[in-house]
């Protein structure tokens, strides 16, 4: 499987990247970065650090440093830390460098090089994807599948707009472009995230696995765990798991989805049309339920667990 990962890393992005980088059968063509959880310069460094930890080489291309319209504000320091990677005190330095090409140009170039072959996994705001669509309107038809983490299916959000999820809240116009140009994409929502945490004993077993990968998971996630009710939430990792092992999706529904761009209380909320009034074809496969044990097995693999024990 050929894959491009678009990320605003981000602690949960880092863990999703680890999951993909641990799979030898995946051909990860590029990682493109953008501003979201933290400014893109930090995102670049965080991706480099994950590549160092996983001892993998994948070219990294910087994308958008701002949403399309809304000025970006740094709002996730309490969860992701001042470095976007949980303020890991013993973080090693990296010698990696960005590729010279802009990340949006990379998306278009690779889509043209491998039309119909690329799985695009978007783990941040959809700014880069939307810009690729505007630069090349045929871009959506050249992507095999777009899987993104973002949005709400029942108006339960996690931002200053109570009904909006962070990635869509960050750049609603970008989400609008994607929802109106991609014939179909797969969505891992905030509500589905809340319904699929790893229970704390599972998490404790993971971070007890010997080696650098589990130590990295624990170090980067420590700050995040202070803010949740003990369970380990998996927004970006669930989206990644659905992309790399589609049979982990147990239940999904095809829906017509739009995003609110103007509401004073609801800007950035994604809305499913359940009526029969809408003539649009369903544009979203909404993931409802996943095989959590299967996702756990992917974590065990990425942390190097000796499963023969
Ligand atoms: Ca993210």
């Amino acid at each position: 499987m050929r894959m491009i990962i678009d990320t605003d890393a981000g602690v949960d992005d880092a863990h999703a990247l680890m999951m993909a980088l641990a799979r030898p059968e995946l051909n990860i063509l590029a990682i493109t970065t953008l501003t979201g959880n933290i400014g893109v310069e930090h995102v670049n460094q965080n991706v480099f650090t994950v590549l160092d930890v996983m001892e993998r080489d994948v070219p990294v291309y910087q994308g958008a440093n701002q949403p399309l319209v809304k000025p970006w504000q740094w709002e996730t320091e309490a969860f992701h830390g001042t470095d976007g990677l949980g303020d890991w005190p013993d973080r090693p330095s990296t010698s990696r460098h960005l590729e010279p090409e802009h990340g949006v140009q990379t998306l278009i170039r690779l889509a043209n090089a491998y039309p119909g072959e690329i799985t695009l996994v978007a783990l941040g705001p959809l700014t880069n994807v939307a810009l690729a669509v505007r630069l090349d309107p045929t871009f959506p038809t050249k992507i095999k599948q777009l899987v993104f983490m973002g949005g709400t299916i029942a108006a339960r959000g996690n931002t200053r707009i109570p009904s909006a999820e962070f990635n869509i809240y960050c750049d609603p116009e970008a989400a609008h472009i994607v929802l109106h140009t991609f014939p179909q994409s797969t969505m891992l929502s905030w509500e589905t995230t809340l319904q699929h945490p790893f229970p704390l004993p599972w998490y404790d077993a993971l971070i007890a696995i010997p080696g650098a990968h589990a130590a990295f998971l624990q170090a980067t996630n420590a700050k995040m765990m202070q803010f949740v009710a003990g369970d380990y939430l998996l927004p970006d990792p669930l989206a990644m798991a659905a992309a790399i092992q589609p049979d982990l999706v147990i239940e999904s529904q095809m829906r017509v989805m739009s995003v609110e761009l103007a509401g004073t209380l609801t800007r950035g909320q994604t809305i499913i049309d359940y009526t029969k009034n809408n003539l649009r074809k369903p544009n979203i496969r909404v993931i409802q339920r996943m095989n959590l044990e299967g996702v756990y097995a992917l974590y065990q693999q990425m942390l190097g667990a000796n499963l023969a024990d």
Side-chain angles (χ1 to χ4, degrees), residues 57-135:
D57 293 320
V58 177
V60 182
Y61 303 82
Q62 180 177 309
N65 68 354
Q66 280 285 321
L68 295 181
V69 177
K70 177 184 166 180
W72 180 75
Q73 289 182 312
W74 188 17
E75 299 177 25
T76 64
E77 181 182 355
F79 307 99
H80 293 274
T82 55
D83 61 355
L85 210 49
D87 290 329
W88 178 20
D90 301 320
R91 181 172 175 170
S93 61
T94 180
S95 59
R96 293 177 189 261
H97 297 285
L98 286 169
E99 302 296 321
E101 185 178 52
H102 192 281
V104 176
Q105 297 287 4
T106 305
L107 293 177
I108 293 169
R109 172 174 59 80
L110 291 173
N112 283 320
Y114 305 103
E117 294 186 40
I118 292 174
T119 293
L120 174 57
V121 184
L123 304 176
L126 290 163
T127 318
N128 284 343
V129 183
L131 285 168
V133 172
R134 286 301 188 239
L135 282 175

Side-chain angles (χ1 to χ4, degrees), residues 7-10 12-13 37 123-125 167 236:
T7 175
D8 66 333
D12 59 316
D13 301 71
N37 282 323
L123 304 176
N167 286 338
D236 291 346

